[in-house]
Amino acid sequence: MHHPALKVALGLLLLSLSPLVLASDVPNHIDLTGNWVGYTAILIFVIAYALVMAEEFTHLRKSKPVVLAAGLIWVFIAYFYTGHGGDPHAVADAVHHNIMEFAELFLFLLAAMTYINAMEERLVFESLRAWLIRSGFSYRKLFWMTGFLAFFISPVADNLTTALLMCAVVMAVGADKPRFVALGCINIVVAANAGGAFSPFGDITTLMVWQKGILPFETFFLLFIPALVNYLVPAYFMHKAIPDETPPASNEVVKTKRGAKRIVFLFLLTIATAVSVHNFFHLPPVLGMMTGLGYLKFFSYYLYMSGELSTVKAGSLQDTMPFDIFNKIARAEWDTLLFFYGVILCVGGLGFIGYLELVSAFAYIDVGPTFANSMVGLLSALVDNIPVMFAVLTMNPDMSQGHWLLVTLTAGVGGSLLSIGSAAGVALMGQAKGVYTFFEHLRWTKYIALGYVASIIVHFIVNFWTFSIPIEG
């Protein structure tokens, strides 16, 4: 017997975990939401995601359970279709669609990660860190400077790299001031997540919305003021608790290696290429990013031929060898990239089974998009915002431009509510172990939540006109 309430409850669970082919889009589709295949798929995914969330304790890399779960879910679906008169070609087409979605995201991020790794190896970030440390600013000034730098760097570089860089500054100058380090880390996490929310390059969720063609490139910048409010509100309350003292000065100077400035320029040129091919020729942005990776490859060939040496790290060991761009590609976050594969394929399967239609009807028709999109942010504080945004993109609810901007904002900044809600927060808990903790962050969650609500209200005020613009296509 089918239980609609149970289906909706299970569907709501999956709003935290989903993408890419809706059941209604598939001819000869079999509804498996009340079938053993549907329940088994949910169980597999919940177990896999529980293992992802327990990574800190089990030391099992997050990509491993979801990659295995993805294969099992689709095999069960195909098995049922083959034996019960379904069209197995429909299943194969759905898998192909999911893999194409992953391929675009994968190649885009691979190019971006390679550039970040190249800039890191050329000491671009180390040079900035050393300058901030020797500048002689007070703890309060450093609190604001690291926050604003995190806010303005994360729209271009990813928010994880930005947060780690700023955390290194805070820890270096606040070695004997754990209070400053803890508050500085919370500030950086909030700033990096807020900064990433108003740029297509700042966060993977904004990148997904842009690559899907939902919003034009320049439209994301309408979120600048709401994102700034999201950062400034908690920062205002936290800065009062910062000691009004000046740390001891440092004379550390780090010079960038040869080619550093040119690599930064090529990265900006790559972003411009990705935007241009999408805006002017309606080609996928990933084509522009991979073309930009070609720029870097040719420049690395020039560095190699001119005798430039590169520092190669393997764990705690490091060695010097001729500059080779493939070392920078190899140092991409492969665990993260494969995690995206697992999530997209897993939740693509759950969407194919039919659960996302239930979620879409309940969240965006029965409850309404304003409440649903606001809840997305709260959900992303508990679960990674990537699958949350995939769920929304898969359901593709009929929303105005203003509501799509709202869900982009909430998915981006909602992770700041808890230290485990974003990659930046998790990484900084490891970097500042014992000083920046889950409970230290939780003490300031009420102010972060105040900033979250304020940013939503500000978006409704400053971007009110976007709520009457329909999304075409």
Side-chain angles (χ1 to χ4, degrees):
M1 186 173 175
H2 295 260
H3 301 284
L6 176 61
K7 286 186 185 179
V8 171
L10 289 168
L12 282 172
L13 169 71
L14 292 170
L15 180 54
S16 62
L17 318 158
S18 304
L20 284 142
V21 177
L22 280 177
S24 60
D25 298 335
V26 181
N28 304 321
H29 179 261
I30 301 173
D31 182 5
L32 299 176
T33 52
N35 185 276
W36 67 267
V37 175
Y39 298 137
T40 304
I42 288 175
L43 180 63
I44 290 170
F45 189 69
V46 168
I47 292 171
Y49 216 84
L51 289 170
V52 169
M53 296 176 78
E55 179 186 9
E56 185 181 349
F57 309 104
T58 62
H59 304 293
L60 178 72
R61 303 292 287 272
K62 63 180 177 290
S63 62
K64 295 178 181 180
V66 289
V67 167
L68 177 61
L72 292 175
I73 288 171
W74 279 106
V75 165
F76 278 124
I77 294 171
Y79 168 77
F80 190 88
Y81 265 65
T82 304
H84 294 78
D87 182 5
H89 296 295
V91 181
D93 289 344
V95 173
H96 284 141
H97 182 75
N98 280 258
I99 290 173
M100 281 301 295
E101 293 277 351
F102 166 70
E104 282 195 25
L105 183 64
F106 168 78
L107 293 172
F108 192 106
L109 291 173
L110 186 65
M113 286 175 174
T114 304
Y115 264 103
I116 298 297
N117 288 339
M119 286 190 275
E120 191 176 18
E121 190 275 330
R122 295 284 94 183
L123 302 180
V124 171
F125 301 125
E126 274 294 296
S127 175
L128 177 60
R129 180 191 65 80
W131 174 76
L132 281 169
I133 292 170
R134 69 172 185 270
S135 58
F137 296 121
S138 68
Y139 285 117
R140 286 191 175 181
K141 274 191 177 175
L142 279 166
F143 173 84
W144 285 108
M145 285 189 73
T146 52
F148 273 111
L149 281 169
F151 184 82
F152 285 106
I153 293 175
S154 61
V156 181
D158 67 289
N159 50 11
L160 176 58
T161 302
T162 305
L164 289 171
L165 166 66
M166 291 303 139
C167 181
V169 175
V170 164
M171 290 181 69
V173 297
D176 57 347
K177 284 280 187 293
R179 179 82 172 148
F180 166 71
V181 174
L183 290 171
C185 285
I186 299 169
N187 187 49
I188 288 163
V189 169
V190 175
N193 289 336
F198 72 85
S199 160
F201 293 90
D203 191 89
I204 294 164
T205 53
T206 57
L207 173 62
M208 290 189 299
V209 175
W210 180 46
Q211 285 207 139
K212 269 281 195 179
I214 305 277
L215 297 171
F217 182 83
E218 64 280 0
T219 305
F220 288 92
F221 297 101
L222 294 173
L223 291 174
F224 174 78
I225 294 174
L228 187 62
V229 167
N230 179 271
Y231 161 59
L232 288 177
V233 170
Y236 168 76
F237 289 102
M238 284 189 287
H239 104 276
K240 295 179 178 180
I242 298 290
D244 194 11
E245 305 167 25
T246 302
S250 165
N251 296 319
E252 183 185 9
V253 177
V254 176
K255 289 189 175 180
T256 56
K257 296 182 182 179
R258 184 165 70 93
K261 290 177 183 175
R262 281 170 283 183
I263 290 175
V264 172
F265 170 75
L266 289 176
F267 183 47
L268 296 175
L269 183 62
T270 296
I271 292 173
T273 305
V275 174
S276 298
V277 300
H278 187 62
N279 282 6
F280 300 128
F281 304 117
H282 310 292
L283 294 168
V286 64
L287 183 71
M289 287 300 286
M290 291 304 288
T291 305
L293 184 59
Y295 306 157
L296 183 60
K297 281 171 169 283
F298 271 92
F299 183 65
S300 75
Y301 175 72
Y302 160 74
L303 290 176
Y304 172 78
M305 293 302 290
S306 58
E308 183 63 28
L309 296 178
S310 174
T311 303
V312 180
K313 295 180 180 178
S316 59
L317 302 175
Q318 62 182 44
D319 197 6
T320 302
M321 60 189 297
F323 191 91
D324 184 357
I325 193 60
F326 285 99
N327 289 327
K328 315 299 176 284
I329 295 174
R331 287 185 56 235
E333 276 289 321
W334 289 99
D335 181 50
T336 301
L337 292 170
L338 291 172
F339 170 72
F340 293 150
Y341 164 83
V343 167
I344 291 173
L345 268 289
C346 271
V347 190
L350 296 172
F352 186 83
I353 286 169
Y355 287 116
L356 292 186
E357 286 182 277
L358 298 173
V359 179
S360 184
F362 178 82
Y364 287 98
I365 297 173
D366 297 348
V367 177
T370 301
F371 182 79
N373 290 335
S374 299
M375 287 302 103
V376 161
L378 302 184
L379 205 53
S380 67
L382 297 168
V383 184
D384 193 276
N385 61 357
I386 310 301
V388 175
M389 183 55 86
F390 268 130
V392 177
L393 286 171
T394 306
M395 293 184 288
N396 196 20
D398 184 16
M399 296 193 294
S400 65
Q401 190 181 88
H403 278 298
W404 275 109
L405 283 169
L406 176 62
V407 74
T408 302
L409 174 70
T410 57
V413 304
S416 301
L417 292 165
L418 296 175
S419 63
I420 58 169
S422 66
V426 173
L428 264 55
M429 279 197 296
Q431 197 174 12
K433 204 171 183 69
V435 180
Y436 169 56
T437 63
F438 176 84
F439 291 104
E440 185 64 35
H441 190 108
L442 197 62
R443 287 180 58 197
W444 296 91
T445 292
K446 59 185 176 184
Y447 299 113
I448 299 168
L450 188 63
Y452 178 76
V453 173
S455 65
I456 293 174
I457 294 170
V458 168
H459 170 57
F460 273 97
I461 294 171
V462 300
N463 297 322
F464 69 93
W465 52 277
T466 61
F467 289 88
S468 59
I469 302 176
I471 296 296
E472 295 179 7

